[in-house]
Short mmCIF file of all heavy atoms in Angstrom, two decimals:
data_model
loop_
_atom_site.label_atom_id
_atom_site.label_comp_id
_atom_site.label_asym_id
_atom_site.label_seq_id
_atom_site.Cartn_x
_atom_site.Cartn_y
_atom_site.Cartn_z
N PRO M 1530 -103.55 124.32 6.41
CA PRO M 1530 -103.72 123.21 5.44
C PRO M 1530 -102.37 122.70 5.06
O PRO M 1530 -101.41 123.47 4.79
CB PRO M 1530 -104.44 123.71 4.27
CG PRO M 1530 -105.09 125.04 4.72
CD PRO M 1530 -104.37 125.50 5.90
N ARG M 1531 -102.18 121.44 4.95
CA ARG M 1531 -100.88 120.82 4.55
C ARG M 1531 -100.32 121.41 3.27
O ARG M 1531 -99.15 121.60 3.16
CB ARG M 1531 -101.10 119.27 4.34
CG ARG M 1531 -99.85 118.53 4.27
CD ARG M 1531 -100.09 117.07 4.13
NE ARG M 1531 -98.77 116.44 4.00
CZ ARG M 1531 -98.43 115.44 4.80
NH1 ARG M 1531 -99.24 114.88 5.65
NH2 ARG M 1531 -97.22 114.86 4.61
N GLU M 1532 -101.10 121.62 2.27
CA GLU M 1532 -100.64 122.10 1.01
C GLU M 1532 -100.01 123.52 1.16
O GLU M 1532 -98.91 123.81 0.56
CB GLU M 1532 -101.84 122.40 -0.12
CG GLU M 1532 -102.66 121.22 -0.27
CD GLU M 1532 -103.88 121.20 0.73
OE1 GLU M 1532 -104.66 122.16 0.67
OE2 GLU M 1532 -103.77 120.32 1.72
N SER M 1533 -100.50 124.39 1.96
CA SER M 1533 -100.03 125.63 2.07
C SER M 1533 -98.58 125.58 2.80
O SER M 1533 -97.67 126.46 2.47
CB SER M 1533 -100.98 126.68 2.76
OG SER M 1533 -100.81 126.54 4.16
N VAL M 1534 -98.46 124.78 3.77
CA VAL M 1534 -97.27 124.61 4.46
C VAL M 1534 -96.25 124.01 3.53
O VAL M 1534 -95.06 124.39 3.54
CB VAL M 1534 -97.38 123.69 5.74
CG1 VAL M 1534 -96.08 123.56 6.38
CG2 VAL M 1534 -98.43 124.39 6.74
N GLU M 1535 -96.65 123.08 2.71
CA GLU M 1535 -95.71 122.46 1.74
C GLU M 1535 -95.22 123.46 0.65
O GLU M 1535 -94.06 123.44 0.25
CB GLU M 1535 -96.31 121.25 1.04
CG GLU M 1535 -96.11 120.03 1.99
CD GLU M 1535 -96.91 118.76 1.52
OE1 GLU M 1535 -97.76 118.86 0.49
OE2 GLU M 1535 -96.76 117.73 2.23
N ARG M 1536 -96.10 124.36 0.30
CA ARG M 1536 -95.66 125.34 -0.55
C ARG M 1536 -94.59 126.28 -0.03
O ARG M 1536 -93.67 126.68 -0.62
CB ARG M 1536 -96.93 126.33 -0.98
CG ARG M 1536 -97.69 125.85 -2.22
CD ARG M 1536 -98.44 126.89 -2.95
NE ARG M 1536 -99.39 127.64 -1.92
CZ ARG M 1536 -100.60 127.26 -1.66
NH1 ARG M 1536 -100.97 126.14 -2.08
NH2 ARG M 1536 -101.28 127.79 -0.76
N LEU M 1537 -94.78 126.55 1.33
CA LEU M 1537 -93.83 127.44 2.11
C LEU M 1537 -92.46 126.73 2.12
O LEU M 1537 -91.36 127.16 1.82
CB LEU M 1537 -94.35 127.73 3.35
CG LEU M 1537 -93.37 128.37 4.43
CD1 LEU M 1537 -92.91 129.72 3.91
CD2 LEU M 1537 -94.00 128.47 5.80
N ALA M 1538 -92.54 125.35 2.45
CA ALA M 1538 -91.36 124.53 2.57
C ALA M 1538 -90.60 124.44 1.21
O ALA M 1538 -89.37 124.59 1.13
CB ALA M 1538 -91.66 123.10 3.02
N ALA M 1539 -91.43 124.30 0.11
CA ALA M 1539 -90.74 124.20 -1.25
C ALA M 1539 -90.10 125.56 -1.55
O ALA M 1539 -88.96 125.59 -2.08
CB ALA M 1539 -91.88 123.86 -2.28
N ALA M 1540 -90.72 126.57 -1.28
CA ALA M 1540 -90.19 127.89 -1.57
C ALA M 1540 -88.89 128.18 -0.82
O ALA M 1540 -87.89 128.70 -1.33
CB ALA M 1540 -91.15 129.08 -1.21
N LEU M 1541 -88.85 127.70 0.44
CA LEU M 1541 -87.64 127.84 1.32
C LEU M 1541 -86.50 127.03 0.74
O LEU M 1541 -85.39 127.51 0.65
CB LEU M 1541 -87.87 127.54 2.73
CG LEU M 1541 -88.65 128.51 3.54
CD1 LEU M 1541 -89.23 127.96 4.93
CD2 LEU M 1541 -87.88 129.79 3.74
N SER M 1542 -86.81 125.76 0.35
CA SER M 1542 -85.79 124.77 0.01
C SER M 1542 -85.29 125.16 -1.43
O SER M 1542 -84.02 124.80 -1.70
CB SER M 1542 -86.20 123.39 0.13
OG SER M 1542 -87.24 123.09 -0.68
N SER M 1543 -86.06 125.79 -2.30
CA SER M 1543 -85.54 126.02 -3.55
C SER M 1543 -84.81 127.40 -3.66
O SER M 1543 -84.19 127.78 -4.67
CB SER M 1543 -86.65 126.00 -4.52
OG SER M 1543 -87.58 127.10 -4.47
N LEU M 1544 -84.92 128.17 -2.57
CA LEU M 1544 -84.33 129.58 -2.60
C LEU M 1544 -82.96 129.62 -3.03
O LEU M 1544 -82.63 130.30 -3.96
CB LEU M 1544 -84.57 130.13 -1.14
CG LEU M 1544 -84.26 131.58 -1.08
CD1 LEU M 1544 -85.27 132.47 -1.95
CD2 LEU M 1544 -84.37 132.07 0.36
N HIS M 1545 -82.03 128.87 -2.34
CA HIS M 1545 -80.66 129.01 -2.63
C HIS M 1545 -80.31 128.36 -3.94
O HIS M 1545 -79.36 128.76 -4.66
CB HIS M 1545 -79.79 128.35 -1.51
CG HIS M 1545 -79.70 129.31 -0.37
ND1 HIS M 1545 -78.59 130.15 -0.33
CD2 HIS M 1545 -80.37 129.68 0.66
CE1 HIS M 1545 -78.60 131.00 0.73
NE2 HIS M 1545 -79.82 130.67 1.38
N ALA M 1546 -80.93 127.31 -4.37
CA ALA M 1546 -80.77 126.78 -5.62
C ALA M 1546 -81.09 127.71 -6.79
O ALA M 1546 -80.38 127.78 -7.74
CB ALA M 1546 -81.47 125.40 -5.77
N ALA M 1547 -82.18 128.38 -6.65
CA ALA M 1547 -82.81 129.17 -7.74
C ALA M 1547 -82.22 130.63 -7.82
O ALA M 1547 -82.12 131.21 -8.91
CB ALA M 1547 -84.31 129.27 -7.58
N VAL M 1548 -81.99 131.19 -6.60
CA VAL M 1548 -81.61 132.64 -6.61
C VAL M 1548 -80.11 132.80 -6.21
O VAL M 1548 -79.56 132.28 -5.35
CB VAL M 1548 -82.46 133.38 -5.56
CG1 VAL M 1548 -82.03 134.83 -5.54
CG2 VAL M 1548 -83.96 133.17 -5.78
N GLY M 1549 -79.53 133.71 -7.14
CA GLY M 1549 -78.11 134.00 -6.97
C GLY M 1549 -77.90 135.45 -7.09
O GLY M 1549 -78.86 136.24 -6.92
N GLU M 1550 -76.69 135.81 -7.46
CA GLU M 1550 -76.45 137.24 -7.68
C GLU M 1550 -76.31 137.58 -9.19
O GLU M 1550 -75.77 136.76 -9.93
CB GLU M 1550 -75.15 137.62 -6.97
CG GLU M 1550 -75.25 137.83 -5.40
CD GLU M 1550 -73.89 138.21 -4.84
OE1 GLU M 1550 -72.84 138.07 -5.63
OE2 GLU M 1550 -73.94 138.67 -3.71
N CYS M 1551 -76.82 138.72 -9.46
CA CYS M 1551 -76.65 139.14 -10.98
C CYS M 1551 -75.13 139.41 -11.25
O CYS M 1551 -74.35 139.89 -10.45
CB CYS M 1551 -77.36 140.51 -11.05
SG CYS M 1551 -77.13 141.37 -12.64
N ARG M 1552 -74.71 138.93 -12.42
CA ARG M 1552 -73.26 138.94 -12.65
C ARG M 1552 -72.77 140.44 -12.96
O ARG M 1552 -71.68 140.70 -12.92
CB ARG M 1552 -72.82 138.01 -13.72
CG ARG M 1552 -73.42 138.38 -15.05
CD ARG M 1552 -72.81 137.46 -16.16
NE ARG M 1552 -73.60 137.54 -17.41
CZ ARG M 1552 -73.44 138.51 -18.33
NH1 ARG M 1552 -72.62 139.42 -18.04
NH2 ARG M 1552 -74.22 138.54 -19.40
N GLN M 1553 -73.75 141.29 -13.32
CA GLN M 1553 -73.33 142.62 -13.52
C GLN M 1553 -73.53 143.57 -12.37
O GLN M 1553 -72.56 144.32 -12.15
CB GLN M 1553 -74.25 143.20 -14.67
CG GLN M 1553 -73.99 144.58 -15.06
CD GLN M 1553 -74.59 145.09 -16.32
OE1 GLN M 1553 -73.91 145.14 -17.27
NE2 GLN M 1553 -75.85 145.35 -16.23
N CYS M 1554 -74.68 143.60 -11.67
CA CYS M 1554 -74.88 144.48 -10.59
C CYS M 1554 -74.88 143.88 -9.22
O CYS M 1554 -74.96 144.66 -8.13
CB CYS M 1554 -76.03 145.26 -10.80
SG CYS M 1554 -77.57 144.34 -10.44
N PHE M 1555 -74.87 142.53 -9.00
CA PHE M 1555 -74.94 141.77 -7.82
C PHE M 1555 -76.12 142.02 -6.94
O PHE M 1555 -76.12 141.62 -5.81
CB PHE M 1555 -73.66 142.24 -6.84
CG PHE M 1555 -72.39 142.03 -7.51
CD1 PHE M 1555 -71.78 143.05 -8.21
CD2 PHE M 1555 -71.77 140.72 -7.70
CE1 PHE M 1555 -70.57 142.74 -9.02
CE2 PHE M 1555 -70.68 140.46 -8.38
CZ PHE M 1555 -70.02 141.55 -9.12
N PHE M 1556 -77.22 142.48 -7.68
CA PHE M 1556 -78.61 142.36 -7.06
C PHE M 1556 -79.01 140.84 -7.16
O PHE M 1556 -78.43 140.07 -7.87
CB PHE M 1556 -79.51 143.24 -7.79
CG PHE M 1556 -80.97 143.30 -7.22
CD1 PHE M 1556 -81.13 143.52 -5.93
CD2 PHE M 1556 -82.07 143.17 -8.13
CE1 PHE M 1556 -82.46 143.59 -5.39
CE2 PHE M 1556 -83.28 143.24 -7.54
CZ PHE M 1556 -83.45 143.47 -6.25
N ILE M 1557 -80.18 140.53 -6.48
CA ILE M 1557 -80.53 139.08 -6.53
C ILE M 1557 -81.08 138.84 -7.90
O ILE M 1557 -81.71 139.66 -8.53
CB ILE M 1557 -81.62 138.87 -5.38
CG1 ILE M 1557 -82.72 140.06 -5.48
CG2 ILE M 1557 -81.02 138.60 -4.05
CD1 ILE M 1557 -83.84 139.80 -4.34
N ALA M 1558 -80.81 137.65 -8.37
CA ALA M 1558 -81.20 137.28 -9.77
C ALA M 1558 -81.54 135.80 -9.80
O ALA M 1558 -80.84 134.92 -9.16
CB ALA M 1558 -80.01 137.57 -10.69
N GLU M 1559 -82.38 135.44 -10.70
CA GLU M 1559 -82.66 133.95 -11.03
C GLU M 1559 -82.06 133.89 -12.44
O GLU M 1559 -82.62 134.39 -13.40
CB GLU M 1559 -84.10 133.69 -11.01
CG GLU M 1559 -84.71 133.40 -9.63
CD GLU M 1559 -85.96 132.58 -9.64
OE1 GLU M 1559 -85.91 131.55 -10.33
OE2 GLU M 1559 -86.85 132.90 -8.92
N GLY M 1560 -80.78 133.38 -12.55
CA GLY M 1560 -80.16 133.31 -13.85
C GLY M 1560 -79.03 134.26 -13.73
O GLY M 1560 -78.58 134.77 -12.71
N GLU M 1561 -78.47 134.60 -15.03
CA GLU M 1561 -77.26 135.42 -15.14
C GLU M 1561 -77.51 136.92 -14.69
O GLU M 1561 -76.74 137.43 -13.97
CB GLU M 1561 -76.89 135.40 -16.56
CG GLU M 1561 -76.32 134.08 -17.11
CD GLU M 1561 -74.85 134.01 -17.01
OE1 GLU M 1561 -74.20 134.71 -17.91
OE2 GLU M 1561 -74.27 133.34 -16.05
N LEU M 1562 -78.59 137.54 -15.33
CA LEU M 1562 -78.80 138.81 -15.02
C LEU M 1562 -80.08 139.06 -14.19
O LEU M 1562 -81.04 138.26 -14.26
CB LEU M 1562 -78.94 139.63 -16.34
CG LEU M 1562 -77.78 139.88 -17.27
CD1 LEU M 1562 -78.18 140.50 -18.52
CD2 LEU M 1562 -76.71 140.71 -16.49
N CYS M 1563 -80.13 140.16 -13.35
CA CYS M 1563 -81.33 140.40 -12.61
C CYS M 1563 -82.41 141.07 -13.50
O CYS M 1563 -82.18 141.38 -14.67
CB CYS M 1563 -81.01 141.37 -11.42
SG CYS M 1563 -80.63 143.02 -11.95
#
Side-chain angles (χ1 to χ4, degrees):
R1531 191 182 180 125
E1532 312 84 71
S1533 84
V1534 178
E1535 275 170 358
R1536 273 200 306 276
L1537 173 65
L1541 286 171
S1542 60
S1543 68
L1544 188 63
H1545 276 273
V1548 181
E1550 282 180 343
C1551 173
R1552 68 173 162 79
Q1553 178 165 259
C1554 76
F1555 302 98
F1556 183 50
I1557 43 178
E1559 284 202 42
E1561 293 261 288
L1562 289 176
C1563 71

